[in-house]
Amino acid sequence: MASIGHEVIGIDVDLDKIDALSRGEAPFYEPGLPEILVEGVASGRLRFSADISDAAGAQVHFLAVGTPQQPGGYAADLTFVDAAVDALIPHLAPGDVLAGKSTVPVGTAVGIAERIRSTGATLVWNPEFLREGWAVQDTITPDRLVVGIPKDAGGERAAGILREVYHPAVAAETPFIVTDYATAELVKVAANAFLATKISFINAMAEIAEVTGADVTQLADAIGHDSRIGRRYLGSGIGFGGGCLPKDIRAFSARAEELGRGESIAFLREMDAINLRRRARAVRLTIDALDGVYEKNITVLGAAFKPHSDDVRDSPALDVAIHLRGFGANVTVTDPAAIPNARRLHPQLTYVEDRDEALRDADAILIVTEWDEYRRQLSPEHASSLTDGRVIIDGRNCLDAAAWRDAGWRYFGMGRP
Ligand SMILES: NC(=O)c1ccc[n+]([C@@H]2O[C@H](COP(=O)([O-])OP(=O)(O)OC[C@H]3O[C@@H](n4cnc5c(N)ncnc54)[C@H](O)[C@@H]3O)[C@@H](O)[C@H]2O)c1
């Protein structure tokens, strides 16, 4: 926002984050973010504070706090949203716009609008579609903008203000969809539900491929040529994870149940189950390949839930690593960015920064996050120089199976022979 000319103040309750950001340091790994952050802070247009009263005077207030899965349940935990709104209310002025960005259960916005009514500010719902790893690009050049507005006159005015906020994207004729609150809230969860379904669909095909000798990667290429289907998001492997997709489809299911429409999206439970089964499949493949993993040295390449990120929330990679350790394996995990976060979450695992050191004397190697360092820059010949183990489990179907086999390795993919 500062890079496109706005005066911005970022507020968080986490003092460490505010300190780091104020120094121009990104508190997480995100390509392109450090540069743009330093620029913003240096320009004087970007400041950070832990004091919510510093939000007073802003015309537009973005609400982007977390909406995690409730402990012990599927529904979204709205504690942070409620706390942030309560804290902000005394600082809202008539004419201000409060733009909700957090992913929330449909029906949340209307309640927040009611709560802020007496301030004279207007609530809009402006769901966020950025992808971690591409966040800067997705924010500056989004593929669409969606704004849910109230039916009263303040709604159109607030949508106009958001058009000004997003002026470069609007000038570039990015689709700008103005709708009601419920549709805006649903667009976000529907998009995530669709993506989760696409991944789990191909992973379901992988399960069938496994018992028929078919190759799911060729199947994905072949059906992907159909422009109605498309090849993107048909990557088979150990499935999706992260801080969004899993909790968002669960929260959607929980909300649909509350609305008496649980059956309409009952299939999402199946998508979740398929997804989790693929993690178990990678563990089983490893156990079978090594004829038991007890006291075997296993190197897990990747900890982040996906490449170009240090996010380990609900990471399939770490889940696989933890389960193998549970079966008695000596598991070593490496990752170019996510080791500090992984160590905080699972201190019981062994972490090694250097990829080659991590690979030394491995009985089996699992590639579970498809960083270029593993997928493109690790040749079977080089791996052979580091260990006598000759088992490679390709949890992301991202390696050249023939090249590894030709170099004397036993290669195991996910749904490919
Ligand atoms: N991460 C993504 O790629 C992504 C993409 C689209 C949508 N979303 C949605 O955006 C929201 C945030 O996701 P995230 O991944 O950034 O979560 P996060 O947990 O990484 O960040 C949320 C931040 O909010 C802060 N916070 C909590 N309570 C606060 C309060 N009362 N006042 C000020 N700050 C407070 C936390 O300290 C934390 O820094 C979620 O609803 C998520 O579903 C995330």
Side-chain angles (χ1 to χ4, degrees):
M1 288 295 164
S3 78
I4 59 173
H6 301 299
E7 290 280 330
V8 181
I9 179 138
I11 299 197
D12 203 294
V13 289
D14 183 331
L15 291 175
D16 291 339
K17 278 189 190 168
I18 292 299
D19 284 348
L21 288 161
S22 302
R23 291 193 302 271
E25 290 167 19
F28 50 81
Y29 177 91
E30 181 62 47
L33 184 62
E35 296 81 357
I36 205 169
L37 182 61
V38 165
E39 251 175 63
V41 171
S43 73
R45 285 198 304 274
L46 178 58
R47 292 175 299 127
F48 296 94
S49 168
D51 182 354
I52 189 81
S53 68
D54 286 332
Q59 255 188 299
V60 182
H61 307 262
F62 284 106
L63 176 69
V65 298
T67 47
Q69 188 174 337
Q70 271 179 14
Y74 265 22
D77 177 355
L78 295 179
T79 316
F80 303 109
V81 170
D82 290 338
V85 170
D86 285 343
L88 188 60
I89 283 175
H91 310 292
L92 290 174
D96 283 5
V97 174
L98 173 57
K101 287 214 128 317
S102 302
T103 303
V104 291
V106 56
T108 304
V110 76
I112 297 176
E114 196 48 47
R115 276 160 66 195
I116 69 163
R117 183 181 301 281
S118 61
T119 67
T122 301
L123 178 77
V124 299
W125 212 262
N126 174 216
E128 180 54 59
F129 304 106
L130 70 80
R131 298 161 300 166
E132 288 180 30
W134 307 93
V136 173
Q137 171 192 318
D138 288 352
T139 303
I140 294 174
T141 51
D143 50 14
R144 81 286 211 193
L145 289 156
V146 175
V147 183
I149 60 171
K151 291 190 175 64
D152 56 50
E156 285 298 341
R157 178 184 165 274
I161 292 175
L162 275 208
R163 275 184 215 277
E164 289 170 25
V165 167
Y166 291 114
H167 62 94
V170 170
E173 296 187 6
T174 305
F176 192 99
I177 297 151
V178 178
T179 181
D180 54 85
Y181 288 152
T183 306
E185 292 166 318
L186 270 176
V187 166
K188 174 65 192 174
V189 286
N192 275 356
F194 193 90
L195 294 173
T197 302
K198 207 169 171 188
I199 302 175
S200 280
F201 174 82
I202 201 65
N203 281 331
M205 296 305 107
E207 291 187 337
I208 304 297
E210 272 152 16
V211 291
T212 53
D215 183 333
V216 73
T217 59
Q218 288 189 333
L219 182 150
D221 289 343
I223 64 171
H225 285 302
D226 184 330
S227 60
R228 293 168 304 175
I229 297 174
R231 181 65 173 81
R232 294 183 70 193
Y233 259 69
L234 285 183
S236 50
I238 58 168
F240 57 82
C244 287
L245 238 47
K247 63 105 176 156
D248 286 349
I249 61 167
R250 290 172 198 154
F252 193 13
S253 295
R255 184 65 183 134
E257 292 284 350
E258 283 170 11
L259 294 166
R261 286 289 182 277
E263 65 186 348
S264 304
I265 55 167
F267 67 92
L268 285 182
R269 304 242 172 185
E270 201 53 54
M271 299 306 129
D272 199 7
I274 294 167
N275 190 54
L276 296 177
R277 280 205 300 271
R278 299 316 285 163
R279 304 177 184 189
R281 168 71 184 168
V283 173
R284 175 49 54 193
L285 263 180
T286 315
I287 293 172
D288 291 348
L290 291 178
D291 206 9
V293 292
Y294 186 70
E295 291 192 346
K296 301 272 174 61
N297 297 331
I298 297 179
T299 299
V300 172
L301 296 177
F305 85 99
K306 68 169 183 177
H308 315 293
S309 171
D310 66 353
D311 197 340
V312 297
R313 289 178 289 183
D314 201 350
S315 167
L318 281 180
D319 208 5
V320 168
I322 287 291
H323 278 90
L324 287 169
R325 187 177 182 275
F327 282 106
N330 304 319
V331 178
T332 301
V333 179
T334 187
D335 189 285
I339 290 180
N341 283 344
R343 186 178 275 128
R344 261 192 295 279
L345 200 62
H346 296 298
Q348 69 275 39
L349 290 170
T350 303
Y351 298 95
V352 172
E353 300 254 344
D354 183 76
R355 183 199 69 186
D356 285 1
E357 199 190 316
L359 288 173
R360 214 167 282 288
D361 300 328
D363 294 311
I365 302 172
L366 273 88
I367 170 159
V368 280
T369 312
E370 66 277 39
W371 288 96
D372 275 350
E373 283 86 337
Y374 313 141
R375 155 173 109 119
R376 293 189 199 283
Q377 294 157 20
L378 177 64
S379 69
E381 293 73 25
H382 184 63
S384 301
S385 73
L386 299 167
T387 176
D388 293 333
R390 289 289 181 271
V391 171
I392 178 98
I393 315 279
D394 184 0
R396 294 294 180 182
N397 286 344
C398 60
L399 299 177
D400 180 346
W404 283 82
R405 288 194 174 120
D406 289 350
W409 286 72
R410 292 166 62 216
Y411 170 94
F412 300 88
M414 305 284 294
R416 66 198 294 207

